[in-house]
Amino acid sequence: MCVGVPAKVLERDEFTAKVDVLGSQMTVGILLVPDVQVGDYVLVHAGQALQIVDEMFAVVSIEEWRKLVDGTHS
Amino acid sequence: MEPILKEVQDAGLGQSLLREVIRLADRFKEKYGHPPAYMEVCGSHTHALARTGIKRALKDHVRLISGPGCPVCVTDQKTIDAMIALTEGENRIICTFGDMLRIPGSKGSLLKAKTEGKDIRVVYSPSDSVRIAKENPDNEVIFLGVGFETTIPVLGIALKEAWEDGVKNFSMWVTTKLVEPVVRYLLDSGEAKLDGFLLPGHVSVVLGKNQYSYLVDEYGVPGVISGFEMNEMLSSIYLLIELGLKEEAKIINNYKSVVKDEGNPQALTIMETFFTPNDEAWRGIGVIPKSGLDIREEYRSLNAKIRFPVTVGEPIKTKCRCGEIIRGLVGPEDCPLFGKACTPMKPIGPCMVSSEGSCSAHYKYLRE
């Protein structure tokens, strides 16, 4: 039930934002992510954006996993 | 973002990670005389580990135990009976998440009540039920607020909206659960022999990595915060085994793209503002002190338990073993009802109702 889906912020006003979830558009609350900007990705759960997704960390994580399998993991 | 998602789901990387996990797990078994055993405490992990084939692929190498992480599955029978009894009142609209609809109570279910003409509506967001209350001023609208820390701030936002907009015909029946008290219960009881925890990704978005320090400081148990895609989970299991081999207990955040050390301060503030710790009953466990949250006294007018008290009798006992399954003591196939009297089409216990339940995931993906 704690499912969250990544969504791209298309527009925002004070308390809500229009987001794109895999091609579908919906409005979500942004009280929990007040600093969110248009273009950001957010994790959406039950109609609220729960967190801004940090793409840099996502890329770094994947690099780390590749290191696990090629033996260069420290 | 799409390229990142593709990489996170990349099957080639997944196969390589799987090989490495097996190699490491076998080293663990050689060293300690038993395979590593990890518990996930999130229903979304339970479902994803089964759906991706990870659980099946690792079954001879790593014990993956589904703990009490599915909110529907841990809700005790008496609470479910009370929520069904709530539908009996006049001029009521009951709003709920879809997961709750089919859970069998002692007499019927919310779905059965709906088919009998009760106004029961599935909503995506608790805030939708506040809107429904505004649109239906002659009805009492009650939202059934179930969930762990991921969902509790979202429930809090609905309460905030109803409070600030003065919506008098809205209230919430809250039966929330917290991860830490039940994890402590499991570790204190010593029932399930565990080498670590696969920590819930989205609960951790709210709580933050720092909240898990008790695992290391008080129990000497490692934990890895994990996302829900195949490679996120495989790499997390790898990291757990590696910590075990190094005899090192620490918390690793393997979901840094959304989980911060301090969690989400806005979400934690909302929780603090609207909720207060509450003794909660867990299926198969009983009452764990301060293991849930209920609505604060100053917002009692939003508390459906106060406004619409219901009395229900003691539940009828069945042979369902959900209570032991969520504590990691037995597997779904140890239940005499599994796959026979109890199936996803005709569930008897909540672990079979919810797609995140251990029995449902086992039935769909892991039956021999």
Side-chain angles (χ1 to χ4, degrees), chain B residues 111-169:
Chain B
L111 185 61
K112 185 167 179 281
K114 188 174 169 66
T115 58
E116 289 165 356
K118 303 294 181 193
D119 195 342
I120 297 168
R121 305 185 192 186
V122 172
V123 295
Y124 169 59
S125 169
S127 296
D128 293 340
S129 56
V130 179
R131 179 181 46 78
I132 290 167
K134 289 176 184 174
E135 291 168 355
N136 295 273
D138 297 331
N139 293 87
E140 285 293 343
V141 174
I142 304 166
F143 182 78
L144 305 178
V146 175
F148 277 90
E149 285 96 333
T150 316
T151 310
I152 297 170
V154 180
L155 301 178
I157 287 172
L159 292 172
K160 184 178 191 295
E161 289 167 348
W163 184 259
E164 289 177 355
D165 294 350
V167 186
K168 302 285 185 227
N169 62 323

Side-chain angles (χ1 to χ4, degrees), chain A residues 1-4 26 32 34 41 43-48 50-51 53-55 58 62 65-66 68-69 73, chain B residues 1-2 7 16-17 44 97 124-125 146 150-151 154 157 202 205 232 235 238 242 254 257-258 264 266 356:
Chain A
M1 210 168 106
C2 295
V3 174
M26 63 189 293
L32 304 178
Y41 278 86
L43 187 73
V44 174
H45 170 70
Q48 296 292 332
L50 208 59
Q51 187 65 284
V53 180
D54 190 323
E55 289 186 67
I62 292 163
W65 305 336
R66 292 205 178 279
L68 296 182
V69 298
H73 168 60
Chain B
M1 193 71 185
E2 281 75 11
E7 289 238 45
S16 304
L17 278 168
S44 299
F97 291 126
Y124 169 59
S125 169
V146 175
T150 316
T151 310
V154 180
I157 287 172
H202 294 150
V205 168
E232 289 172 327
S235 56
Y238 179 101
E242 194 178 51
N254 194 33
S257 57
V258 286
N264 181 320
Q266 285 81 14
E356 295 187 348

Side-chain angles (χ1 to χ4, degrees), chain A residues 1, chain B residues 47 70-75 77 80 84 96-105 108-111 283 320 322 325-326 338 341-364:
Chain A
M1 210 168 106
Chain B
H47 185 254
C70 153
V72 167
C73 309
V74 298
T75 302
Q77 192 67 48
I80 289 162
I84 294 167
T96 177
F97 291 126
D99 310 54
M100 299 299 294
L101 219 52
R102 293 173 63 237
I103 307 177
S109 64
L110 289 170
L111 185 61
R283 179 177 294 268
C320 164
C322 276
I325 290 166
I326 61 172
F338 178 81
C342 183
T343 66
M345 291 303 289
K346 204 166 173 264
I348 289 175
C351 293
M352 189 62 95
V353 176
S354 169
S355 63
E356 295 187 348
S358 190
C359 295
S360 170
H362 197 92
Y363 187 92
K364 281 181 196 155

Side-chain angles (χ1 to χ4, degrees), chain B residues 193-341:
Chain B
K193 302 282 176 255
L194 301 171
D195 296 299
F197 284 91
L198 193 71
L199 295 168
H202 294 150
V203 161
S204 303
V205 168
V206 172
L207 293 181
K209 178 190 167 190
N210 296 342
Q211 289 264 0
Y212 296 109
S213 55
Y214 68 93
L215 278 176
V216 175
D217 299 344
E218 297 177 45
Y219 297 98
V221 173
V224 174
I225 298 167
S226 177
F228 301 88
E229 297 295 344
M230 180 177 59
N231 296 334
E232 289 172 327
M233 293 185 296
L234 281 169
S235 56
S236 296
I237 295 164
Y238 179 101
L239 292 168
L240 275 168
I241 303 171
E242 194 178 51
L243 286 173
L245 286 168
K246 288 182 187 168
E247 297 179 40
E248 194 179 347
K250 67 178 191 181
I251 305 298
I252 295 176
N253 179 3
N254 194 33
Y255 199 28
K256 286 197 186 82
S257 57
V258 286
V259 175
K260 310 299 168 204
D261 286 359
E262 70 287 359
N264 181 320
Q266 285 81 14
L268 293 167
T269 299
I270 287 266
M271 283 168 72
E272 181 67 28
T273 303
F274 287 94
F275 297 100
T276 186
N278 184 51
D279 300 345
E280 275 286 331
W282 296 64
R283 179 177 294 268
I285 292 174
V287 173
I288 302 177
K290 310 288 185 224
S291 63
L293 297 177
D294 202 354
I295 297 169
R296 277 188 181 277
E297 181 61 24
E298 50 265 55
Y299 303 105
R300 63 182 288 131
S301 61
L302 294 170
N303 193 334
K305 283 182 192 166
I306 293 171
R307 283 177 56 181
F308 308 106
V310 291
T311 309
V312 290
E314 283 307 308
I316 300 161
K317 283 198 165 37
T318 71
K319 289 181 179 167
C320 164
R321 298 186 74 181
C322 276
E324 293 157 279
I325 290 166
I326 61 172
R327 281 145 62 203
L329 306 184
V330 298
E333 304 230 14
D334 297 315
C335 175
L337 306 178
F338 178 81
K340 301 178 187 82

Side-chain angles (χ1 to χ4, degrees), chain A residues 60-74, chain B residues 13 17 20 23 238 242:
Chain A
V60 167
S61 293
I62 292 163
E63 286 169 3
E64 283 296 319
W65 305 336
R66 292 205 178 279
K67 286 179 186 171
L68 296 182
V69 298
D70 65 19
T72 56
H73 168 60
S74 53
Chain B
L13 177 58
L17 278 168
E20 287 304 306
R23 187 180 62 80
Y238 179 101
E242 194 178 51

Side-chain angles (χ1 to χ4, degrees), chain A:
Chain A
M1 210 168 106
C2 295
V3 174
V5 291
K8 188 175 187 175
V9 177
L10 304 173
E11 295 170 21
R12 71 155 287 175
D13 58 27
E14 195 176 0
F15 301 119
T16 61
K18 187 193 275 187
V19 299
D20 178 287
V21 186
L22 303 171
S24 300
Q25 291 188 8
M26 63 189 293
T27 299
V28 299
I30 54 170
L31 275 181
L32 304 178
V33 288
D35 301 331
V36 76
Q37 304 291 326
V38 170
D40 283 346
Y41 278 86
V42 288
L43 187 73
V44 174
H45 170 70
Q48 296 292 332
L50 208 59
Q51 187 65 284
I52 299 169
V53 180
D54 190 323
E55 289 186 67
M56 186 195 76
F57 272 122
V59 171
V60 167
S61 293
I62 292 163
E63 286 169 3
E64 283 296 319
W65 305 336
R66 292 205 178 279
K67 286 179 186 171
L68 296 182
V69 298
D70 65 19
T72 56
H73 168 60
S74 53

